[in-house]
Amino acid sequence: MDQIDGKLDRLLEDNRQIKADQSELETRIRALELGETERQRRDETRLAALETRRWPLQTVGAVTGVAGAVTAAVALFVR
């Protein structure tokens, strides 16, 4: 009887530990899904900063085109 009680106690303790681990993992997964981890917040802030500082390629292309047209016009009239 003592052996059975000991084994049951171990099984119950293992079951409690498994439930605690499962609960912890579920909490961590929910945090990941919602984007609430510190790393995700930091990366989101970093990405937003990079997006605001990116080169406006369309504007650069337009300015380059206008500069080329002006240069061609000046070269045409200088001769």
Side-chain angles (χ1 to χ4, degrees):
M1 225 28 177
D2 290 337
Q3 288 178 342
I4 294 173
D5 272 348
K7 288 182 180 183
L8 282 175
D9 288 341
R10 275 188 272 150
L11 285 173
L12 288 173
E13 183 58 37
D14 289 347
N15 191 24
R16 284 187 201 107
Q17 186 61 40
I18 289 170
K19 284 184 178 183
D21 290 346
Q22 181 184 7
S23 176
E24 178 187 345
L25 287 173
E26 286 176 359
T27 303
R28 291 172 59 193
I29 289 171
R30 280 192 201 103
L32 284 171
E33 288 174 345
L34 296 174
E36 295 177 346
T37 64
E38 182 62 34
R39 182 177 181 181
Q40 286 172 317
R41 284 190 218 116
R42 185 181 65 238
D43 289 347
E44 190 65 34
T45 303
R46 196 170 134 243
L47 180 61
L50 288 172
E51 285 176 346
T52 59
R53 288 184 277 167
R54 69 179 181 186
W55 278 84
L57 294 179
Q58 294 172 345
T59 305
V60 171
V63 169
T64 304
V66 169
V70 169
T71 304
V74 168
L76 181 66
F77 291 118
V78 169
R79 288 186 178 190

